[in-house]
Structures are given as C-alpha cells and as structure tokens.
Amino acid sequence: MSDKLDTLGPLMNEIGQELASLVGGDPDGVFLYVEIGDGWVSPSVFKDEGDVVRYYNPRDTNLSDMLWEAWYLEPDGPNMRWSVLEYMITGKKFHVSFRYPEEVDVEVIDSERREAALRVRFGDKPVVYPPPPKSAFELQP
C-alpha cells in the first residue's frame, strides 16, 4: 500500500502541474472530473473564474496518459479500480477523491453525473464552454 501511495502522490502532483499548464498557469479553482473504464477515459477540466466556471478541453495534454497510469496502480479485478476521480485545486493544495464501480456504474452513460459534481463544487454558476468548431454540424432527427 505504501508503495502505491509513494507512486500515486507524485503522479497526482504531476496531474496538478498538467492542469496548471492547461489553464494558463494559476491552477487555483481547477476541478478535474474523470470517468474511466476498461479501454476508455473521459476527463473534463473546469476552472472557477469568479462569476463563471470555464471548461478547458484537455485533448492536447498528457492528462489521459497520467490518468491511465493512476488507474493501473489499482489492483486488477472486479470493482477494485476506481471509476470516478474528482480532483480539486484550492490555493496551492489539491484534494482527490475516488468513487468505485459499486458506487457508480460509469458503463451506463449519464451526463448528469458530471453536472451534479459541478453543482456540488460551484453551485449555480454558469459554465462557459468554447464555441463548436466551424466544421461541426448538428444532426436532425
């Protein structure tokens, strides 16, 4: 167990540094919400900017690789690896919490889980997402 913590602690610090880089330097107020399962990972990064919470796309970062590394530190087996990670930076400190498959089934897609986590952290502050790319289109039924 202490070997895992010796590895996980510095890895969580590296994740914080990656988040700081993603948001432009000051990580205070950053919230990382991750759902993960066998063969997929879905990180979402948000930052409290006072009146609003801004979404940052982690696509061009090493964040997914770091999250995989943290996930694989857990023993392999049913319900042994976490399925949700919540990582909050306040000031210069980070707090990490994990939820496991018996608590939440991330194999069932539910966008409300992330929204609920945002409301717990940020209340009713509006969330600002970047505009869709010009090449995006909306499918009509």
Side-chain angles (χ1 to χ4, degrees), residues 132-137:
K134 294 192 186 294
S135 62
F137 58 91

Side-chain angles (χ1 to χ4, degrees), residues 15-133:
I15 288 171
Q17 291 172 7
E18 189 75 11
L19 292 169
S21 177
L22 175 64
V23 301
D26 179 12
D28 186 28
V30 168
F31 175 60
L32 167 65
Y33 179 84
V34 180
E35 292 189 2
I36 192 168
D38 194 24
W40 61 274
V41 61
S42 179
S44 299
V45 179
F46 300 89
K47 186 170 191 303
D48 186 344
E49 295 184 350
D51 293 338
V52 299
V53 175
R54 186 165 313 278
Y55 171 81
Y56 287 83
N57 190 337
R59 181 180 39 224
D60 297 327
T61 68
N62 293 321
L63 196 55
S64 290
D65 291 339
M66 294 174 174
L67 293 167
W68 280 117
E69 187 177 341
W71 195 66
Y72 280 112
L73 285 174
E74 299 290 346
D76 192 11
N79 299 331
M80 297 296 289
R81 291 186 174 142
W82 48 274
S83 55
V84 173
L85 173 142
E86 294 184 19
Y87 185 115
M88 184 74 192
I89 301 175
T90 305
K92 296 184 183 222
K93 295 183 179 187
F94 65 85
H95 174 77
V96 179
S97 63
F98 300 99
R99 293 174 59 201
Y100 291 84
E102 64 271 9
E103 298 171 273
V104 59
D105 181 5
V106 295
E107 297 300 328
V108 174
I109 297 172
D110 181 357
S111 62
E112 291 301 312
R113 285 190 299 260
R114 183 180 78 173
E115 295 306 312
L118 284 171
R119 296 298 154 236
V120 166
R121 295 290 184 273
F122 303 115
D124 290 331
K125 285 186 183 182
V127 179
V128 177
Y129 292 91

